[in-house]
Protein backbone atom coordinates (compact mmCIF):
# COMPACT_ATOMS: atom_id res chain seq x y z
CA UNK A 1 0.00 0.00 0.00
CA UNK A 2 1.13 3.56 -0.72
CA UNK A 3 0.88 5.95 2.22
CA UNK A 4 1.31 9.73 2.54
CA UNK A 5 2.34 11.46 5.81
CA UNK A 6 1.09 14.94 6.65
CA UNK A 7 2.98 15.79 9.84
CA UNK A 8 4.68 19.02 10.93
CA UNK A 9 7.09 17.39 13.41
CA UNK A 10 10.07 15.88 11.54
CA UNK A 11 10.80 13.30 14.26
CA UNK A 12 7.22 12.04 14.32
CA UNK A 13 7.20 11.98 10.52
CA UNK A 14 10.37 9.89 10.50
CA UNK A 15 8.88 7.48 13.07
CA UNK A 16 5.74 7.11 10.95
CA UNK A 17 7.77 6.49 7.81
CA UNK A 18 9.73 3.74 9.59
CA UNK A 19 6.48 2.16 10.86
CA UNK A 20 5.06 2.25 7.34
CA UNK A 21 8.13 0.55 5.89
CA UNK A 22 8.37 -1.97 8.77
CA UNK A 23 4.78 -2.98 7.99
CA UNK A 24 5.76 -3.66 4.37
CA UNK A 25 4.21 -0.55 2.84
CA UNK A 26 5.64 2.45 0.98
CA UNK A 27 5.75 6.03 2.20
CA UNK A 28 5.29 7.82 -1.12
CA UNK A 29 5.35 11.38 0.16
CA UNK A 30 5.25 13.70 3.12
CA UNK A 31 4.52 17.33 3.91
CA UNK A 32 4.47 19.71 6.87
CA UNK A 33 1.64 21.94 5.63
CA UNK A 34 -1.66 21.65 3.84
CA UNK A 35 -0.33 23.82 0.98
CA UNK A 36 2.68 21.57 0.48
CA UNK A 37 0.55 18.42 0.63
CA UNK A 38 -2.22 19.65 -1.65
CA UNK A 39 0.36 20.77 -4.24
CA UNK A 40 1.73 17.21 -4.34
CA UNK A 41 -1.76 15.73 -4.46
CA UNK A 42 -2.90 18.04 -7.25
CA UNK A 43 0.20 17.08 -9.27
CA UNK A 44 -1.17 13.53 -9.27
CA UNK A 45 0.69 11.83 -6.43
CA UNK A 46 -0.92 8.42 -6.10
CA UNK A 47 -1.50 6.96 -2.63
CA UNK A 48 -3.99 4.76 -0.81
CA UNK A 49 -4.01 6.34 2.67
CA UNK A 50 -2.92 9.57 4.36
CA UNK A 51 -1.77 9.79 7.96
CA UNK A 52 -2.76 13.29 9.06
CA UNK A 53 -1.68 15.42 12.03
CA UNK A 54 -4.18 18.11 13.03
CA UNK A 55 -1.62 20.87 13.67
CA UNK A 56 0.22 21.94 10.54
CA UNK A 57 2.59 24.79 9.72
CA UNK A 58 0.56 27.04 7.40
CA UNK A 59 -2.62 28.00 9.21
CA UNK A 60 -4.75 25.29 7.64
CA UNK A 61 -5.21 22.15 9.68
CA UNK A 62 -5.28 18.43 9.20
CA UNK A 63 -9.06 18.76 9.37
CA UNK A 64 -8.90 20.82 6.17
CA UNK A 65 -6.69 18.14 4.63
CA UNK A 66 -9.00 15.31 5.70
CA UNK A 67 -11.97 17.16 4.21
CA UNK A 68 -10.03 17.68 0.93
CA UNK A 69 -9.09 13.99 0.77
CA UNK A 70 -12.54 12.69 1.66
CA UNK A 71 -14.06 14.78 -1.16
CA UNK A 72 -11.75 12.88 -3.51
CA UNK A 73 -12.44 9.44 -2.05
CA UNK A 74 -9.02 9.02 -0.42
CA UNK A 75 -9.04 7.64 3.13
CA UNK A 76 -7.21 9.41 5.91
CA UNK A 77 -6.39 8.73 9.53
CA UNK A 78 -5.78 11.42 12.12
CA UNK A 79 -2.52 10.85 14.01
CA UNK A 80 -2.63 13.48 16.72
CA UNK A 81 -2.39 14.44 20.34
CA UNK A 82 -5.64 16.37 19.93
CA UNK A 83 -7.90 13.37 20.32
CA UNK A 84 -11.00 15.32 21.32
CA UNK A 85 -10.80 17.59 18.27
CA UNK A 86 -10.02 14.62 16.02
CA UNK A 87 -13.03 12.71 17.33
CA UNK A 88 -15.26 15.74 16.64
CA UNK A 89 -14.28 15.33 12.97
CA UNK A 90 -14.12 11.55 12.90
CA UNK A 91 -16.60 11.47 9.99
CA UNK A 92 -13.76 12.71 7.75
CA UNK A 93 -11.38 9.80 8.46
CA UNK A 94 -11.35 6.05 8.90
CA UNK A 95 -9.70 6.16 12.34
CA UNK A 96 -7.93 8.27 14.96
CA UNK A 97 -4.55 7.28 16.40
CA UNK A 98 -3.37 9.14 19.49
CA UNK A 99 0.21 10.32 19.94
CA UNK A 100 2.58 9.04 21.09
CA UNK A 101 2.04 6.64 18.23
CA UNK A 102 1.87 2.94 18.93
CA UNK A 103 3.04 0.79 16.02
CA UNK A 104 0.27 -1.76 16.62
CA UNK A 105 -2.37 1.01 16.31
CA UNK A 106 -0.89 2.16 12.99
CA UNK A 107 -0.88 -1.41 11.67
CA UNK A 108 -4.58 -1.75 12.57
CA UNK A 109 -5.26 1.33 10.44
CA UNK A 110 -3.43 -0.26 7.52
CA UNK A 111 -5.64 -3.34 7.90
CA UNK A 112 -8.74 -1.13 7.57
CA UNK A 113 -7.63 -0.03 4.10
CA UNK A 114 -6.25 -3.29 2.72
Amino acid sequence: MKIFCLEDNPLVSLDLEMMIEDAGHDCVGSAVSFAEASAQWEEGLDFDLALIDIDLTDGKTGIDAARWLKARGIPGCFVTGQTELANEHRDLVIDVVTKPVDEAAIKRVFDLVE
Side-chain angles (χ1 to χ4, degrees):
M1 178 170 32
K2 297 177 282 188
I3 302 170
F4 186 90
C5 288
L6 181 51
E7 168 62 57
D8 67 333
N9 182 316
L11 294 176
V12 174
S13 184
L14 182 61
D15 282 345
L16 289 172
E17 289 175 27
M18 288 190 306
M19 289 180 201
I20 291 166
E21 292 172 10
D22 287 348
H25 303 292
D26 296 316
C27 183
V28 295
S30 63
V32 298
S33 70
F34 177 81
E36 183 182 352
S38 62
Q40 291 180 54
W41 301 337
E42 288 174 1
E43 289 175 6
L45 180 67
D46 182 37
F47 57 99
D48 305 303
L49 170 69
L51 302 179
I52 309 164
D53 187 16
I54 293 213
D55 287 329
L56 303 174
T57 62
D58 65 352
K60 291 207 175 199
T61 68
I63 295 165
D64 297 308
R67 191 172 287 117
W68 193 96
L69 290 166
K70 184 172 183 169
R72 287 151 182 83
I74 302 168
C77 173
F78 287 130
V79 179
T80 184
Q82 296 187 42
T83 309
E84 186 175 322
L85 184 57
N87 282 324
E88 289 173 12
H89 298 279
R90 193 177 186 96
D91 62 311
L92 299 173
V93 295
I94 60 170
D95 205 355
V96 174
V97 174
T98 303
K99 291 179 182 176
V101 179
D102 174 72
E103 192 164 354
I106 289 292
K107 287 181 179 177
R108 283 192 297 274
V109 172
F110 299 159
D111 289 342
L112 293 173
V113 178
E114 293 184 310

